[in-house]
Every structure is written in structure tokens, then in C-alpha cells.
Amino acid sequence: MFSKILIANRGEIACRVIKTARRMGIATVAVYSDADARAPFVRMADEAVHIGPAQASESYLVADKIIAACKQTGAEAVHPGYGFLSERASFVEALAAENIAFIGPPADAIAAMGDKIESKKIAREAGVNVVPGFVGEIRDTDHAVEISDDIGYPVMMKASAGGGGKGMRLAYSEKDVREGFEATKREGLNSFGDDRVFIEKFIEDPRHIEIQILGDKHGNVLYLNERECSIQRRHQKVVEEAPSPFVTPKMRKAMGEQCVALSKAVGYHSAGTVELIVSGADETGESFYFLEMNTRLQVEHPVTEMITGVDLVEWMIRVAAGEKLAMTQDDVKIDGWAIENRVYAEDPYRGFLPSIGRLVHYQPPVEPWTDDGSENGRRGVDGIRVDDGVYEGGEVSIHYDPMIAKLVTWSETRDEAADLQIKALDAFRIEGLGHNVDFLSAIMQHPRFRSGELTTGFIAEEYPEGFEGAPADAQLTRVLAAVGGVIATADADRARRIDQQLDSDFYAPGDWSIRIGEREEGSTTHEVRLAEDAITVDGEPVVLEMEYTPGETMVDVTLFGEDSAEPEATYTLQLSPTRTGYAVTTRGATHQLRILQSRIAHLAGHMIEKEPPDLSKMLICPMPGLLVKLHVAEGDEVQPGQPLATVEAMKMENILRAEKEAVVSKINAGEGDSLAVDEIILELE
């Protein structure tokens, strides 16, 4: 076994590998860029080596710097995590030349599976189902249109060396191909140094199922069941779960055996994942096709660990050290259900655009996971596990992936695991930048998610106009109103105790008029009365149990039936004071509570509400980025949906389009400019 390993990665996955290595008695070395000098993984490791500037191309992606750090510290092996150099065959070969072990698959397997075109040929020869498509060289856009016409729309255009959702475009028509083919080539070149593109049939009503593979150097390869990863946005996974609510034992066996055959065909060892696309319309489960093989550890590996009891990181290390797998296929089990949500620095209320900045407050619902080697340890605290690599006061940088944390829950059933997600998300406090916690909670509550009727189009289909927060049902509305009355009374009671007030008879009122909603239109108003032993909302009793001290930012609330000692529901509410009340965040939405004493509430009708500005007259940059292309000039007439500008952020190109018919009156930025969030690119009239 190795005595010291180096982790050629950063963030939560570096922390994850360090925890397991520490339990195994293996010393660890971290490498870090300027941006990560104070990161948790640097502090956790036994040693740390600085390898360059914040840009990954000058630090984490430079193989020579990783090898130099190994030599400097005496590290015998390198764990690559995911991303960066994890699937670069030349890196594995360079390590081997220096007699440094790679904790991952052999270079030949990485090379074979890393090329999407070549991997499909190998899969076909190994007897694996493949999607109909064109895997040769595509000459130009006209050729791409010809190919797409032959296959039949819709088609998917993918960068050959792509991954992580980058370099992918869905085309429903010739127009889409002509608009997206060159962009796909550019993204492939910018992100992976390879502008080759392949085109394949897009499977409608698709489900994304992946099979976890684990093999050793002695020819043993197992499949560790499946993960469902169908809930995606822009081909980037958002929610993962194991097992899949769609996969039957017969499907699992057929999928697993084909994936093992593919792995053996390329001499695979270590952990890996074979991604499949499955037709959700075919309940026989026979319509599944090979997409690609990820020759590394997956972001979502914890859900597999939770249901199988297999520590994938530990076995990657053991396999790299030459050990045989200690289990057979018959030993692989499915125990309970696990769900993982990726907490991203992105703003779902603004079209899911990247949101970088400082974590002013960061408080996960439970302490970050500690690896004690037990199955229960891997399942976190009471079934809630947080894998993160950030800290309060730290910064989410534009240079790296915007993931803040992975929230993973385990329980006996799928519904119970989803309920744990809702509970944990309510208690996840993040301030300082946009994040997707509300959106994740909304998904966990969504009836379609609960039914298991998932496809990769779930988000686009269920939120076609964007995300505006999860709707509140009547029960939650009553709770919000009642809680608003309680905290308003407590705040007033504290205020009355301040010395030197003019009115010595000042008392804490108990009658409140509470409007739930930011504006008059679409809001509801409730009359709340507090007595010594009762709370009523609109004349109906509400029985709550809660503790609140003025100034608190988070409270736990239990709702009881009027004549029952058993709780009906529990809530965690995050409170933020506003000018006229509180913003209360819970169950996937932030609710604006305007709280006024009942005796003066009627006067609020005389206040003029400020109308928001007409932003449709301006094209505003929705996130920090680089203006790659201006599609219009001053004086041009534009139509709704017409591209106006393309902004690149985090290596993804975002096309900004006109919202209505207008004329470009003024252009304020030029191609190549770096733009700040909310900067005005051009003006319309």
C-alpha cells in the first residue's frame, strides 16, 4: 500500500479523497493555485504545494507541475479526482515514466473512451447498444446539415472530446444546426483543444441512466448498480439518485453486463461510469444506448456508496496498489435509497446564470461528512451528508466549477430520502451570492419528481418560463402568517423595553395584518391575532411550537392539528428583516411578509407602489463574462428571439436574445470586452 499520495485536484473532491486516505493511514499532499491558498483542502492535507496562478491552464492542468510536486514531497501515487487531468492519457503516461502510480484506469482505456467517436466504435464491437449517428469527420456546416437530415431530427451535436455539458447543442431543424454547429466546434476547441464534432439521433423522452463500474488489475470487473441522472439543465446534472425508479432487475442486469463487457474490452480497472440513454417510452427497458464512458470517479459517486456500502475512493486506491477486489457480483446489494443534489453558485431566478462572489454566510445543515470507515458514517448525520470544499468568507471564483456543495441523503425509501432533502435544504444557509437551494427544494417537492416520471427534459418542461420559486400551499401560507405575527409581537415586545421612550404605556400589540407577497397584485393578506394561549389566522386557530428571540435568522417551527398532539408538519424558516417586515425563506421560495398593526394597516392603501424600470429597453449582461460576439449594429431592427450578443462565462457561450421587436439605438460594449454583471451591453428603442 502507498504511504503518501498526491491529490491533483481541488475543492470538495480533494477533501473527499483526503478523508479516506487519512482513515487508511496514508499521508496526503495537496496542490493549490493562488485562488485556493486558504481553501479547506489545503489545510486538511498533510502537505501542500503551490503550483501557480488561479487559471487552471497555468496550474491544475499543467502535468509537469503535478509531477514536480510529487518529486518534491515523495508522493508515490496521484489521485486525479474528476475534471482537470483525470481523463488525460498523456498525464498517466507521464506519471508512469517517473515511476509514479496513477489512481485510476490505464492510459489505453482513457484514450479509447475519451474520444467519443472511437468509443462508439469500440462499444459496437463489444456488443453494446449504440445510438444511431454519424461518427466520421464532418467537413463543414453544410455537411452537418446533410448528416442531420439523413439521421432525422431532432439530433444532438457534441464535441468529440467534450464532457460536463460543454460542447453540446440540440437541433430540431436545419436552422438550429446552422446556428449551433460552429458554436459547438468553438466550445470544443476552447474547453478541450479539439474542435471535432459528431452528430447522433436525439432520443425523445430520454432518461439518463449510468452504471458504476469497478475493476481490478487481475481481470475482475463488477457493476455496482445504476444511478438515475435524468434531471439536468443544459446537459449538466442537477439531481442524481440510486437506484433508479425506472430500472427493473432485468434491465439492471442487461445494462450491467453490457457495461462490464465494454470495460473488459478496453482492459479497464479502477472506478468508472458508463453513461446510457434510455427511452422512457419503452417500459421493456430494451431501448438503452451507450452514450460515453467516464474513466474517472463521478461527482455523484456518494449515492452509489450509500446503497452498496462500497467506498469507491478506497477501492480506487487499493486497486492502484495492486489489490484484488474483495467482493463478487453476487455481493453487490441495494440497501435503501440515496439522492444527491448539487448546490451551485447560480441564480435560478435569473435564468440559472453563474453567480460568483464571496460566501458572506455559509452554514450547511449538518457538519461536513467525516469518514470513519463505517456504512453509517458514509451516510452522514441521520441520513444527511454534506460534501463541500468551501468556507464562510471564501470566494466562489470564475476560474472553476460553480459547485458549492453536494447534499446527499439516504433513507429506506425514495420519498423519505426526498423529504430529508427538503428538510436539509431549508436549513442550508448561503448568503453573498446567488444559489440554487430554492430550486432544488422545489424539485424535491414536485409531484412529477415524486412519481418518478423523469426525463432529461424535466426542467425545461416543468419550468418553461423560468423559476419563480416553489408555490406555497394553504397550510404553509397559514404557518407563514402565524409565524409573522409571533415574530412581530416578539420584536415589538423587545422594542418597548428600551429606556427613554416618550410613551411609558407602550405595549406589544398582538393584532397584525400580514400581506404575503412583494406587491399588491398576486399577494394575499391575512389577519393574525395573538392571545395568551392561542393564535388565530383569519379567525381560524393555528397551533405552533417555536422558539424565537429577536435577531435570530433561523427558526424551527412545528405545526400541530387543533386537537392532536402529533405534529402535522415541521418547517425550518430563514428570516431576513426588511423595511416593513421579513423575507422568509422555506420550502423552495422566499416569501415577502409586510407586517403592519391591524389598526393602521388600512392606511397602507394610500402608499404609492414604485413601478420597476422597463429593462426590456436594455440588453443587460446577466453575469460576469467576455463579450465574444455582437450580432447587431446600431440602427438594426430586431425581432423577438433574435440573437443580440454572445457572452462567454465559465467556458460556456450564452446567447442573449431580443425580448421584443425594437431598434438598436446605442451599443455600449465591444467584442472582446470583459463585462460585469448588470452592465448594459446595448440599448433599444
Side-chain angles (χ1 to χ4, degrees):
M1 182 51 65
F2 308 116
S3 60
K4 182 186 290 188
I5 65 172
L6 181 144
I7 297 96
N9 217 296
R10 61 177 299 281
E12 66 87 14
I13 189 58
C15 294
R16 163 74 180 93
V17 176
I18 290 169
K19 290 173 183 177
T20 293
R22 179 184 294 165
R23 173 175 58 79
M24 296 174 70
I26 301 171
T28 56
V29 179
V31 292
Y32 65 93
S33 69
D34 291 344
D36 286 331
R38 295 182 178 86
F41 76 93
V42 176
R43 298 195 302 269
M44 285 177 63
D46 298 299
E47 299 175 66
V49 178
H50 176 251
I51 55 170
Q55 293 83 357
S57 60
E58 299 179 45
S59 52
Y60 296 107
L61 285 169
V62 182
D64 289 345
K65 291 186 176 182
I66 305 298
I67 292 171
C70 288
K71 291 180 177 179
Q72 176 184 331
T73 58
E76 304 156 277
V78 171
H79 195 300
Y82 47 73
F84 296 141
L85 297 171
S86 62
E87 294 181 280
R88 188 168 295 183
S90 60
F91 177 55
V92 181
E93 292 166 348
L95 289 173
E98 300 293 339
N99 202 29
I100 301 169
F102 179 69
I103 301 174
D108 290 347
I110 293 175
M113 293 293 101
D115 186 320
K116 286 188 172 64
I117 294 173
E118 189 62 29
S119 66
K120 287 185 181 297
K121 294 178 181 177
I122 295 171
R124 186 180 290 113
E125 292 170 1
V128 180
N129 303 340
V130 296
V131 180
F134 184 86
V135 294
E137 183 177 346
I138 301 174
R139 297 186 302 273
D140 51 29
T141 301
D142 288 338
H143 191 203
V145 169
E146 181 184 330
I147 292 165
S148 301
D149 288 342
D150 288 341
I151 294 172
Y153 295 100
V155 298
M156 179 69 78
M157 297 177 289
K158 296 184 182 180
S160 179
K166 296 182 177 70
M168 302 175 74
R169 287 286 192 284
L170 179 59
Y172 284 93
S173 65
E174 176 181 334
K175 178 187 174 185
D176 292 342
V177 175
R178 292 193 180 280
E179 186 176 290
F181 180 70
E182 290 298 329
T184 305
K185 290 186 68 173
R186 281 197 302 272
E187 285 186 4
L189 186 62
N190 292 340
S191 297
F192 311 105
D194 186 342
D195 69 351
R196 290 179 302 154
V197 173
F198 72 93
I199 299 176
E200 66 184 9
K201 178 70 175 175
F202 179 70
I203 307 299
E204 298 193 75
D205 292 331
R207 299 182 78 117
H208 187 121
I209 308 292
E210 58 187 32
I211 300 292
Q212 176 68 57
I213 292 296
L214 183 63
D216 61 26
K217 295 181 180 180
H218 305 277
N220 302 304
V221 182
L222 309 176
Y223 62 92
L224 274 59
N225 305 316
E226 80 285 349
R227 296 184 287 259
E228 171 105 37
C229 307
S230 294
I231 297 184
Q232 305 176 2
R233 192 189 63 77
R234 292 187 66 174
H235 313 295
Q236 186 77 38
K237 298 167 189 171
V238 177
V239 181
E240 299 103 347
E241 58 182 307
S244 163
F246 181 72
V247 173
T248 64
K250 181 181 177 182
M251 292 166 63
R252 182 175 299 118
K253 186 173 187 292
M255 291 174 177
E257 288 176 351
Q258 283 197 19
C259 295
V260 167
L262 174 63
S263 302
K264 289 184 175 181
V266 293
Y268 200 88
H269 60 72
S270 193
T273 295
V274 181
E275 301 199 350
L276 306 169
I277 191 164
V278 184
S279 172
D282 182 4
E283 295 185 1
T284 68
E286 295 176 359
S287 299
F288 65 88
Y289 305 98
F290 171 78
L291 274 180
E292 62 181 340
M293 184 173 191
N294 294 315
T295 53
R296 54 169 168 81
L297 191 67
Q298 292 282 89
V299 175
E300 58 272 21
H301 73 272
V303 295
T304 294
E305 294 183 326
M306 283 184 165
I307 67 163
T308 63
V310 177
D311 188 320
L312 289 168
V313 172
E314 176 181 347
W315 276 104
M316 288 181 76
I317 295 171
R318 293 191 181 280
V319 166
E323 293 189 20
K324 286 185 177 181
L325 294 180
M327 69 204 85
T328 66
Q329 190 63 58
D330 290 339
D331 296 324
V332 178
K333 60 181 179 178
I334 297 179
D335 180 13
W337 213 286
I339 301 175
E340 175 178 301
N341 276 307
R342 300 189 188 189
V343 180
Y344 280 127
E346 63 182 14
D347 191 344
Y349 296 100
R350 300 184 66 174
F352 298 94
L353 293 167
S355 178
I356 62 172
R358 192 166 301 283
L359 285 163
V360 177
H361 290 292
Y362 177 73
Q363 181 182 332
V366 296
E367 288 297 313
W369 169 65
T370 300
D371 186 359
D372 63 2
S374 71
E375 189 170 275
N376 286 334
R378 278 190 291 275
R379 290 173 177 169
V381 180
D382 297 326
I384 300 172
R385 166 174 161 178
V386 175
D387 283 26
D388 63 15
V390 299
Y391 63 100
E392 189 166 277
E395 189 172 354
V396 176
S397 167
I398 194 172
H399 300 290
Y400 312 119
D401 186 273
M403 189 165 67
I404 298 171
K406 300 186 312 199
L407 178 64
V408 198
T409 56
W410 177 91
S411 193
E412 294 290 344
T413 69
R414 185 171 185 266
D415 278 343
E416 289 171 352
D419 288 341
L420 278 177
Q421 282 283 344
I422 296 167
K423 173 185 175 181
L425 288 163
D426 276 353
F428 215 131
R429 187 182 179 204
I430 302 172
E431 294 180 18
L433 43 70
H435 57 80
N436 66 339
V437 166
D438 282 357
F439 180 63
L440 297 174
S441 180
I443 291 175
M444 295 295 100
Q445 299 171 62
H446 200 289
R448 181 174 163 188
F449 173 79
R450 290 301 184 117
S451 73
E453 297 296 322
L454 310 179
T455 71
T456 56
F458 176 92
I459 291 175
E461 292 160 7
E462 299 302 326
Y463 304 96
E465 303 301 321
F467 179 69
E468 297 180 354
D473 59 22
Q475 178 176 282
L476 177 56
T477 299
R478 291 172 61 241
V479 169
L480 290 171
V483 169
V486 171
I487 61 178
T489 299
D491 289 347
D493 184 61
R494 181 178 182 179
R496 78 180 179 86
R497 299 173 189 275
I498 299 173
D499 290 340
Q500 310 292 321
Q501 296 192 70
L502 293 176
D503 186 357
S504 59
D505 294 329
F506 187 73
Y507 65 95
D511 292 347
W512 303 95
S513 179
I514 299 178
R515 187 183 78 184
I516 302 177
E518 193 165 3
R519 306 180 64 79
E520 197 67 46
E521 184 179 352
S523 64
T524 59
T525 300
H526 307 273
E527 298 303 318
V528 180
R529 170 167 291 186
L530 274 70
E532 281 190 18
D533 57 353
I535 305 171
T536 60
V537 176
D538 299 327
E540 296 293 326
V542 177
V543 182
L544 297 180
E545 183 178 281
M546 60 178 285
E547 292 184 10
Y548 170 73
T549 301
E552 281 188 305
T553 58
M554 192 175 294
V555 296
D556 292 321
V557 178
T558 303
L559 173 68
F560 293 87
E562 189 176 353
D563 300 314
S564 173
E566 292 297 317
E568 281 190 7
T570 59
Y571 302 88
T572 297
L573 280 60
Q574 297 190 35
L575 310 176
S576 178
T578 63
R579 187 171 58 86
T580 58
Y582 280 87
V584 182
T585 302
T586 189
R587 297 296 170 95
T590 297
H591 305 274
Q592 300 293 332
L593 271 59
R594 188 193 69 180
I595 306 175
L596 300 173
Q597 292 183 42
S598 294
R599 64 186 180 85
I600 62 171
H602 67 283
L603 299 175
H606 299 289
M607 301 297 292
I608 299 173
E609 290 197 6
K610 185 177 180 180
E611 292 295 326
D614 184 5
L615 299 180
S616 67
K617 293 183 178 180
M618 297 171 280
L619 181 66
I620 297 174
C621 188
M623 70 285 189
L626 179 71
L627 182 57
V628 175
K629 187 173 179 60
L630 276 169
H631 299 279
V632 294
E634 289 184 4
D636 285 358
E637 295 182 1
V638 298
Q639 300 298 319
Q642 181 177 333
L644 301 179
T646 299
V647 177
E648 182 184 295
M650 295 185 176
K651 296 184 179 179
M652 295 287 284
E653 290 190 0
N654 302 273
I655 299 175
L656 309 182
R657 302 176 185 273
E659 294 182 3
K660 61 183 181 180
E661 186 176 345
V663 176
V664 179
S665 60
K666 184 180 179 183
I667 293 179
N668 301 317
E671 292 181 1
D673 288 356
S674 292
L675 304 175
V677 64
D678 291 336
E679 187 170 338
I680 299 172
I681 300 172
L682 56 84
E683 299 175 28
L684 303 165
E685 61 181 18

